[in-house]
Each structure stands twice: as C-alpha cells, then as structure tokens.
Amino acid sequence: MPAHTLSTDRRTVLRAVLLGAAGLTAAPLLSACGGGAAPAGRISARVEDSGAGTASSVIRPIAEQNGLLDGLDLTYIAGTGPGDVQNKLLSGALDAASFGPLGAVVAGEAGSDVVLFSANLTNHVRWLVPENSPYRTPADLRGRRVATPPNNSDAFRSTQLAAAVNGTDLNVEYELFPGAVLAGLALFDRGDVDAIVTIEPNATRLVGRGARQIATVGEEWSRGTGEDPAALVLNGQGTVRSFLDENPDTVRAVADLRVGAHEVIRERPEILAELHEVYGIPAEERAAIELLPERMRDVYPVEWGPAVFANLQRQVEVAQQVGLVTAVPEQLPWIDLETL
C-alpha cells in the first residue's frame, strides 16, 4: 500500500486544514467564513486553533497565504494547552484534533473510538538545561527538578515512553513539574527547575537564548530501541470513528490540506523564519529565528502510510510491554483513507 502524499488531482478539491498542537491561550470561537451553516457545496469542520508556542501555529497562515482554504468553512476553537484539544475531540467540541498513538489507545480503553487519519507532526520534544548546567544527559538529571508538558499530552506520553525503553520510570526517577507549556518556560527562566522537557518552537527559542539541548525524545527512543530517531511520530490528525463514517469527504479534505501546508514548508522552509511572530518569537530574537528552518522543517511530515503505521504500532507495542497501555488493541486506531 503506497504512502499517502497529496496527489495532483486531489489538490483541486482541497477543503480544510487541521491545526496540530493545542493552542496555549483561551480564545472565542472563530469562524473562517462568518459562522452559521456552510453554504451548499462547501465543507465545514470544527478544528483546533493553535496559538503561539506551538509547532502548528504556522499552519493557518500558510494555508491562507497559499489559497488552501478556498471553498471551506472552518470554525476554529482554541485550546488551553497540550492535552486539552484531545479532551475537546472526545467531548464532541471538535471534529478533528491532533492525537498521539498512545492517547488514542488510552481513549479506546476508556470507551472512545478515536482513529488517526493523516499526518500531523513528527516528534519534536526536547530536553534542555541552562547553558552553565553540569548535566549532559537525561540520565544525569535523575532526582532533579524537570518541567514537563501536561501528563495527558502526546509530548509527555512520548517522553515517558522513551524513558521507559531505557529502563527509566519518568514519574518515579525525576521530580516532575507538569503543566502548561508557558508555565514550564517560566519555571525554567526563573531557575526553579534544573531542566525542561518542551516542544517546538519553544526549544529553538531557548537554544537561541543560550540554553543547551542535551537530548531529543527521538534520540532517547532510538537509544532504547535502535530505531531511526527521525521516524518517531508525535501525533496524527484524529477524529472519532463515527464522524469519519458519516463525513469521509470532510476527513479527506482535512488530511489533504494539512499535507498541502506541510509541502509548502518542505519546499520553502524559510517561510518558518518569516512567520516567527506567529510562533511567538519577536524580531529581536534573531538567533532563534535563524534556527527555525533548520530545526523545524522535518517536524512537518508529508507521508501517511505503511512506514508511519509501523512506527505507530511499534510505539503501542512497546507501551504495552512497559505498562503504559493495557494491551495492543485488535483494531489499531489509525487508517489509510485511500482504502475507504
């Protein structure tokens, strides 16, 4: 079965875009086309609106600049941080949202039938310490204070999994301070923690200010499994299976438009530096801005197919082995839309 990339003929019917990681600030409900029911022939969807400090904050402006929203009625709904949009999807407030493989399995174990249907983000979770820190590896930080994303987020679960494959219980062996991404950054900036586990673009912003990146979750996963660190998937775009069954064209459009935005980034990564303010990085932070194309281009994948599914399944299998999920489900929670 071939990996899914955006085909030429399907470009003509692009209809939607899903904004990946959760927004960090509360915001009112926004409609891309003024609210109300979508006119005949148009596709509508409720999607997450990503704020500054998230990798997916650039997707909406890239889609707008490149005409990817034509013929579409989107309602944007902001979240309060990683983990929140997953809850909004499960509650029915969103039609689609970023969802990691472990989160999808955990949701399934709780009775929610979540299915991942397209590319979203490769793993971009980083371990950082202050420039003058004596610590060189995550193992050196055992027993120390570490700020992390919320413990129900994809970022936290992947960090937990990467630690587990190296024989480490993240919750037991570190003094963790889980919480909103901005709260973790504040703790780190004040020196209240010895290290931070955080997502992009915040990691690049910290590196630009002089912090040292000592590891990535992808590297830790590779060290414990021997697999390619660059292939580690953070999350896909997800929906509940009933919505997919009832609205396959909408889901296909959401998938295609996300890949379309990612293709723009892959072809012209300098656009990430141009959109630095959307990331929440002010113009005076030149070092961070210059690093964005190099550090973040590969965060935005364009494939969704067998190789990706193998990585997702491997994550779930290892999670079951180390006790992070109860079992590998008989029906794996992802799908190739080309088979519908």
Side-chain angles (χ1 to χ4, degrees):
M1 190 178 300
H4 173 68
T5 56
L6 198 61
S7 61
T8 301
D9 58 333
R10 291 179 68 180
R11 288 181 190 275
T12 61
V13 292
L14 297 180
R15 292 291 186 262
V17 64
L18 174 65
L19 306 180
L24 297 177
T25 58
L29 203 80
L30 299 175
S31 172
C33 299
R42 298 172 69 90
I43 291 178
S44 64
R46 296 169 301 166
V47 299
E48 53 186 302
D49 195 16
S50 297
T54 67
S56 285
S57 60
V58 296
I59 300 300
R60 183 174 177 180
I62 287 173
E64 291 171 348
Q65 292 170 12
N66 290 273
L68 301 181
L69 301 181
D70 294 345
L72 168 70
D73 289 270
L74 285 182
T75 298
Y76 295 102
I77 299 175
T80 58
D84 179 63
V85 292
Q86 288 82 10
N87 291 334
K88 282 184 165 59
L89 177 69
L90 297 178
S91 71
L94 285 171
D95 297 321
S98 56
F99 231 102
L102 303 192
V105 172
V106 170
E109 292 174 347
S112 296
D113 195 0
V114 173
V115 57
L116 312 184
F117 60 86
S118 84
N120 200 61
L121 298 169
T122 56
N123 197 286
H124 54 95
V125 185
R126 326 296 195 194
W127 288 77
L128 298 106
V129 296
E131 185 176 15
N132 60 356
S133 171
Y135 306 113
R136 295 290 182 268
T137 69
D140 294 339
L141 286 158
R142 288 173 178 160
R144 311 306 297 183
R145 297 165 298 175
V146 181
T148 75
N151 56 17
N152 67 332
S153 67
D154 299 331
F156 184 90
R157 287 190 171 110
S158 68
T159 306
Q160 193 178 22
L161 180 63
V165 298
N166 289 290
T168 299
D169 188 324
L170 190 72
N171 290 314
V172 171
E173 299 184 47
Y174 298 86
E175 185 180 354
L176 301 182
F177 291 80
V181 173
L182 293 182
L185 294 174
L187 291 173
F188 186 79
D189 286 340
R190 291 199 305 261
D192 293 340
V193 293
D194 300 291
I196 186 171
V197 174
T198 193
I199 58 175
E200 293 289 5
N202 305 298
T204 293
R205 192 174 185 185
L206 291 175
V207 169
R209 294 175 181 173
R212 280 192 296 110
Q213 181 173 299
I214 60 171
T216 70
V217 164
E219 291 165 351
E220 290 295 287
W221 166 261
S222 179
R223 189 163 67 88
T225 64
E227 299 184 4
D228 181 3
L232 186 63
V233 176
L234 178 64
N235 50 36
Q237 294 185 94
T239 188
V240 293
R241 199 173 297 272
S242 59
F243 184 84
L244 172 61
D245 291 342
E246 295 169 8
N247 303 276
D249 290 341
T250 298
V251 173
R252 286 191 183 95
V254 168
D256 283 349
L257 272 168
R258 181 72 189 214
V259 174
H262 286 193
E263 286 183 334
V264 172
I265 295 169
R266 290 300 185 98
E267 294 167 4
R268 196 165 72 85
E270 60 270 21
I271 196 173
L272 303 180
E274 296 167 8
L275 293 171
H276 63 89
E277 291 184 349
V278 177
Y279 278 136
I281 302 176
E284 57 266 26
E285 295 188 24
R286 294 181 181 177
I289 294 169
E290 291 175 358
L291 289 170
L292 288 172
E294 173 190 350
R295 285 177 57 92
M296 294 196 62
R297 176 183 180 273
D298 292 339
V299 169
Y300 306 95
V302 295
E303 292 189 353
W304 184 255
V308 176
F309 299 161
N311 179 260
L312 296 173
Q313 183 166 346
R314 176 67 167 146
Q315 288 188 54
V316 174
E317 289 172 348
V318 172
Q320 190 274 329
Q321 293 167 12
V322 299
L324 298 182
V325 299
T326 302
V328 177
E330 183 175 346
Q331 183 178 22
L332 293 168
W334 47 83
I335 191 169
D336 185 343
L337 294 177
E338 300 292 343
T339 65
L340 294 181

